[in-house]
Amino acid sequence: MATAPDASIDDLNRQSARLEAESRKLRAEADKLNAEHYKLVAEQYKLESERLKIDRDKTLSPWLLLAQGLIGGAALLGSALALLKYLSA
């Protein structure tokens, strides 16, 4: 029967160094993917808050338009009455 030759210490050290380098590379890639994940989650929260703001603005805009119209009408009425009072005096 043929037996496998014993691995020398140098071969084991080279293999260990190669495995450590690959492990560091994989950890760096995992860190990069985690950072990208957090970036995407932050973007998701930002878009969600913008959507909520647009929904709120869409709900309030008719009421704001009504209030602005009433204020503008009152201002026009007041200025017309002041002009009539000025002209009649």
Side-chain angles (χ1 to χ4, degrees):
M1 258 179 37
T3 59
D6 292 335
S8 69
I9 298 294
D10 290 337
D11 289 341
L12 291 176
N13 285 339
R14 279 194 295 269
Q15 188 176 18
S16 176
R18 184 179 53 81
L19 289 174
E20 286 177 18
E22 190 166 332
S23 176
R24 282 193 302 272
K25 184 173 139 183
L26 290 174
R27 273 192 230 111
E29 183 69 23
D31 291 343
K32 182 176 153 186
L33 290 174
N34 281 336
E36 184 69 22
H37 173 3
Y38 288 126
K39 182 179 164 186
L40 291 173
V41 168
E43 183 70 18
Q44 181 182 4
Y45 285 137
K46 179 182 159 195
L47 291 174
E48 180 68 17
S49 68
E50 287 178 11
R51 185 189 66 80
L52 290 173
K53 181 185 178 298
I54 289 171
D55 286 348
R56 185 190 68 224
D57 290 347
K58 191 167 55 170
T59 302
L60 291 177
S61 63
W63 295 105
L64 292 174
L65 185 63
L66 177 66
Q68 290 171 350
L70 289 173
I71 291 169
L76 286 174
L77 182 62
S79 63
L81 291 176
L83 182 62
L84 284 175
K85 183 177 179 181
Y86 176 73
L87 290 177
S88 66

